[in-house]
Amino acid sequence: MLQSKVFRYSHWDIACCLVIPFQISVYTLLAYHYQSLSLIALLGMVPVLFALSLQNAGANHNHYHTPFFRIRWMNTLVRMGFSMTEAPKTPYNIGHGIHHATHQSWNDKSILAILGLKRPLTKQLISFGLFIFESLGLKYFTLLILLKYWPIERVAALASPEDPELATRALKKLLEPSKLKAAKYDLAAWFLFRLVLCLIDWKFFFFYFIPATYVIDSLRQGENYFQHWGATDPYDPKRDSVSCYGKLYNLLTFNLGYHQEHHYKPGLHWLRLPELTKELPSDRHTVPYSHYCNSPLMFPERAVQLSKENTANASS
């Protein structure tokens, strides 16, 4: 254990913390210079913002499993900082904790359905309209108000009609006093940052920030899929997910690519995850470069094999 009165695990955790001021600066500068930037430059920034979103995910993920500091208020500020450029982190982290406790196979899922690309155009437009509603903070404030007056199950069915049972579990955890207090802090930080961007340039907020964030969030919907599709055995902690050992990807995301290692020992610090690789079986499904390479299109032989397995299981 690190002998430090401030850091709990490693001084290198400061690298994860630096993501916060860096990303805030990028979005703030974009807001200030929005009207002087060309359309090509603005479109070219979307992949960059997507990469920053992945970086935020990796840093927050590490902070959730292994809080960086021994001092509670410092961890609270870091969590609020991660909330500012992404989604409020306490609800997200609750969902992530449920994910770790739930064994499921992603091998029979459709990535097109998960990304929402199979929906008709009218539902796509409705989805974007609801995202605008969410971006203004109205979704979160509405849910908090409804939780005071409605049964949890009714709110869950409204918030997640596709999986109300999972939403009920998440909302029950959210209503725990400590979690609810943390969620309110995160929501305040999240909303304040969006208010600042809107005050800098409301056109940037409505005509660039919201559409770009919608595209990025839609792609991020597939994250669990890409981290688990093709897993050799969805119910074996040594084979239930997929690792990616791309050096640039892991450098950007603070070892988020070592996903099988993380599933094997979730409480291990992110710097030590590479040590676990040698303990895992060699027949695992792994991918190069990035988790986003992990799809049936990139691994057609694995897709055919899984299709045969699913057909055999359905007929037995």
Side-chain angles (χ1 to χ4, degrees):
M1 185 69 71
L2 178 69
Q3 298 300 314
S4 171
K5 293 183 179 180
V6 177
F7 290 94
R8 186 180 296 275
Y9 297 96
S10 170
H11 292 102
W12 281 105
D13 285 331
I14 195 65
C16 292
C17 297
L18 289 175
V19 166
I20 297 168
F22 177 69
Q23 295 190 354
I24 289 173
S25 299
V26 170
Y27 277 105
T28 304
L29 286 171
L30 271 176
Y32 270 114
H33 297 286
Y34 168 67
Q35 298 197 39
S36 64
L37 293 172
S38 68
L39 178 60
I40 294 176
L42 291 171
L43 292 176
M45 279 300 299
V46 175
V48 176
L49 297 177
F50 174 70
L52 295 183
S53 176
L54 287 178
Q55 189 176 59
N56 182 294
N60 172 72
H61 178 259
N62 293 333
H63 182 251
Y64 168 66
H65 284 283
T66 54
F68 302 151
F69 301 106
R70 297 184 184 277
I71 305 167
R72 181 177 296 179
W73 66 263
M74 294 181 71
N75 284 319
T76 298
L77 286 179
V78 169
R79 193 193 65 245
M80 291 171 65
F82 286 136
S83 297
M84 292 177 75
T85 58
E86 291 294 323
K89 289 304 182 181
T90 295
Y92 174 86
N93 291 338
I94 289 173
H96 183 72
I98 292 174
H99 159 69
H100 269 279
T102 305
H103 294 285
Q104 63 172 311
S105 173
W106 292 80
N107 291 340
D108 57 352
K109 302 287 194 303
S110 165
I111 183 57
L112 295 179
I114 290 171
L115 295 179
L117 297 178
K118 285 191 172 183
R119 295 176 298 185
L121 180 59
T122 52
K123 289 191 175 182
Q124 295 278 6
L125 294 174
I126 291 172
S127 176
F128 182 65
L130 291 174
F131 186 78
I132 296 174
F133 181 77
E134 177 182 335
S135 298
L136 297 175
L138 299 176
K139 169 187 172 181
Y140 296 106
F141 292 126
T142 300
L143 287 177
L144 287 174
I145 292 171
L146 290 178
L147 283 170
K148 288 185 176 182
Y149 302 103
W150 287 8
I152 289 181
E153 291 77 13
R154 186 179 177 187
V155 178
L158 176 66
S160 180
E162 296 179 356
D163 198 342
E165 183 178 347
L166 184 64
T168 300
R169 290 176 61 187
L171 289 174
K172 284 181 178 179
K173 286 185 174 293
L174 181 64
L175 286 178
E176 295 174 7
S178 61
K179 293 286 194 300
L180 186 58
K181 182 179 179 181
K184 289 179 179 178
Y185 280 140
D186 294 348
L187 179 58
W190 175 88
F191 181 75
L192 178 62
F193 183 62
R194 277 148 184 76
L195 179 61
V196 168
L197 292 180
C198 194
L199 291 174
I200 293 172
D201 190 335
W202 68 270
K203 290 182 180 179
F204 165 81
F205 182 76
F206 283 99
F207 298 122
Y208 184 78
F209 179 80
I210 289 180
T213 305
Y214 179 73
V215 171
I216 291 168
D217 283 8
S218 296
L219 290 174
R220 288 284 306 280
Q221 289 296 319
E223 194 165 32
N224 275 333
Y225 176 91
F226 293 123
Q227 290 174 336
H228 298 89
W229 179 84
T232 308
D233 185 348
Y235 305 99
D236 180 351
K238 290 187 175 183
R239 294 181 173 88
D240 63 355
S241 55
V242 178
S243 287
C244 167
Y245 300 123
K247 291 183 178 180
L248 180 61
Y249 179 67
N250 282 298
L251 180 65
L252 173 73
T253 62
F254 307 101
N255 285 346
L256 190 62
Y258 289 86
H259 201 66
Q260 183 66 75
E261 288 82 353
H262 170 67
H263 266 246
Y264 180 42
K265 292 187 178 180
L268 193 67
H269 189 263
W270 61 277
L271 286 174
R272 297 187 58 195
L273 289 175
E275 300 173 11
L276 292 182
T277 303
K278 60 180 179 295
E279 299 182 26
L280 300 175
S282 58
D283 65 345
R284 294 177 296 121
H285 177 53
T286 61
V287 296
Y289 309 121
S290 162
H291 272 127
Y292 281 80
C293 293
N294 188 34
S295 71
L297 184 64
M298 296 294 291
F299 295 92
E301 293 182 1
R302 183 69 180 137
V304 171
Q305 180 184 355
L306 289 175
S307 178
K308 291 179 179 178
E309 291 177 3
N310 290 333
T311 301
N313 291 335
S315 61
S316 62

